[in-house]
Amino acid sequence: MEQQFPLLPRHLAIIMDGNGRWAQARGLARVDGHRAGAEAVRTVVTECRRLGIPHLTLYAFSSENWNRPKAEVAALFGLLLDFLGVEVPRMEREDIRLMVLGDVDGLPLAQRTALRHGMSRTAHCRSMTLNLALNYGGRAEIVRAARRMAEAGIAPDGYTEERFADFLYTEGQPDPDLLVRTSGEQRLSNYLLYQCAYSEFYFTPVAWPDFGVEALHEALRVYAGRSRRFGKTQEQIDGR
Ligand code: IPE
Ligand code: IPE
Ligand code: MG
């Protein structure tokens, strides 16, 4: 099956959108959609690990998502705890490293503790990195990086693009090759603004809870057929 994908992204980033609409279309509560979405996360992580995609980043909670009803926010964080309880031991077994992109200190205590525990338990894992973007905002990340660089005493001429990237949450990881957003919306919603400068974008109408192995494969097939030029001409790339 792997031959299906002559070119896999080294880093796949996903905006997991549409849980609420998925639930509403079924006469269910939004939280039921989030529960189904958590199942989709398990499926996609497992398949990415099997295929050998080394970096996977999932947008789980944006800094703007605090504006949602209190009960929905609480339900999302409850699901996160359940997820970590089951998945961290499995990630350890499967050699998957857990990382958080975002302001962990701004999360509730139980979630903060479980995330820190998960990150330390899997710190040695190397087969894949699973980044959960939680309490994450792209602009805040850029401002934070600038502030951290200044605090590190770096002189203005030391502010290079590469150096700057070392102060982002994604330090040491490649930029996303492919950005997927589910459920029809075509916007970034403050996601990985610095890192997505040259990412390929793929939008699908499929709602996140329905995004399974088939939908993932379709996104990867489309990606493999894209022509990335990075400013060059196609002739240069083909060596003609
Ligand atoms: C994505 O689904 C999950 C989070 C943002 C946490 P939504 O909850 O945004 O679902 P829609 O977009 O309202 O359908
Ligand atoms: C983006 O989805 C954030 C996550 C998927 C966690 P939203 O549903 O919050 O985005 P907007 O508000 O529609 O742009
Ligand atoms: Mg949404």
Side-chain angles (χ1 to χ4, degrees), residues 48-103:
C48 287
R49 170 72 179 85
R50 197 188 71 77
L51 289 169
I53 294 174
H55 301 265
L56 173 66
T57 301
L58 302 175
Y59 206 0
F61 193 85
S62 75
S63 36
E64 289 76 27
N65 286 144
W66 291 110
N67 296 319
R68 294 197 176 195
K70 260 199 172 119
E72 182 172 343
V73 171
L76 280 166
F77 284 127
L79 286 167
L80 174 64
L81 269 194
D82 296 346
F83 178 85
L84 293 170
V86 177
E87 295 306 311
V88 166
R90 198 172 71 115
M91 289 174 70
E92 250 190 299
R93 284 197 302 277
E94 308 266 317
D95 199 35
I96 301 173
R97 180 176 192 179
L98 175 70
M99 301 275 276
V100 176
L101 315 184
D103 180 14

Side-chain angles (χ1 to χ4, degrees), residues 71 75 131 236:
N131 299 301
Q236 286 177 297

Side-chain angles (χ1 to χ4, degrees), residues 16-22 24 30 34 59-62 65 68 72 76 183 185 208:
M16 311 185 288
D17 199 13
N19 294 348
R21 279 164 284 169
W22 180 93
Q24 278 155 358
R30 292 182 60 87
H34 295 314
Y59 206 0
F61 193 85
S62 75
N65 286 144
R68 294 197 176 195
E72 182 172 343
L76 280 166
S183 209
E185 247 57 75
W208 176 250

Side-chain angles (χ1 to χ4, degrees), residues 7-240:
L7 183 68
L8 280 173
R10 278 206 299 158
H11 186 168
L12 168 64
I14 306 184
I15 301 176
M16 311 185 288
D17 199 13
N19 294 348
R21 279 164 284 169
W22 180 93
Q24 278 155 358
R26 284 160 182 75
L28 301 169
R30 292 182 60 87
V31 47
D32 297 317
H34 295 314
R35 198 170 293 116
E39 286 308 312
V41 170
R42 296 177 212 270
T43 306
V44 167
V45 171
T46 303
E47 183 61 5
C48 287
R49 170 72 179 85
R50 197 188 71 77
L51 289 169
I53 294 174
H55 301 265
L56 173 66
T57 301
L58 302 175
Y59 206 0
F61 193 85
S62 75
S63 36
E64 289 76 27
N65 286 144
W66 291 110
N67 296 319
R68 294 197 176 195
K70 260 199 172 119
E72 182 172 343
V73 171
L76 280 166
F77 284 127
L79 286 167
L80 174 64
L81 269 194
D82 296 346
F83 178 85
L84 293 170
V86 177
E87 295 306 311
V88 166
R90 198 172 71 115
M91 289 174 70
E92 250 190 299
R93 284 197 302 277
E94 308 266 317
D95 199 35
I96 301 173
R97 180 176 192 179
L98 175 70
M99 301 275 276
V100 176
L101 315 184
D103 180 14
V104 181
D105 291 335
L107 295 172
L109 179 63
Q111 284 72 10
R112 213 190 308 156
T113 308
L115 287 164
R116 294 228 166 93
H117 170 78
M119 286 190 279
S120 74
R121 284 278 292 271
T122 61
H124 62 283
C125 298
R126 288 291 174 270
S127 294
M128 178 170 131
T129 300
L130 171 64
N131 299 301
L132 294 181
L134 277 165
N135 198 14
Y136 174 86
R139 286 187 172 176
E141 178 186 33
I142 291 169
V143 171
R144 172 182 175 273
R147 192 176 291 145
R148 293 178 70 224
M149 273 184 100
E151 282 165 1
I154 291 160
D157 62 0
Y159 277 62
T160 62
E161 293 181 15
E162 293 74 21
R163 199 78 196 281
F164 194 84
D166 288 339
F167 288 85
L168 298 169
Y169 291 119
T170 45
E171 176 199 350
Q173 301 193 51
D175 287 339
D177 298 299
L178 175 63
L179 174 93
V180 169
R181 184 167 188 150
T182 59
S183 209
E185 247 57 75
Q186 302 190 8
R187 55 175 171 259
L188 275 177
S189 301
N190 207 10
Y191 193 41
L192 302 174
L193 298 182
Y194 192 88
Q195 297 89 337
C196 282
Y198 255 108
S199 306
E200 294 295 323
F201 286 12
Y202 174 83
F203 300 104
T204 171
V206 174
W208 176 250
D210 289 332
F211 193 89
V213 170
E214 269 320 297
L216 173 65
H217 286 187
E218 179 56 20
L220 295 173
R221 265 194 295 277
V222 170
Y223 170 74
R226 295 274 175 93
S227 171
R228 302 182 78 190
R229 288 188 287 278
F230 299 100
K232 297 182 179 175
T233 68
Q234 193 59 49
E235 286 72 17
Q236 286 177 297
I237 286 159
D238 298 341
R240 279 186 271 141

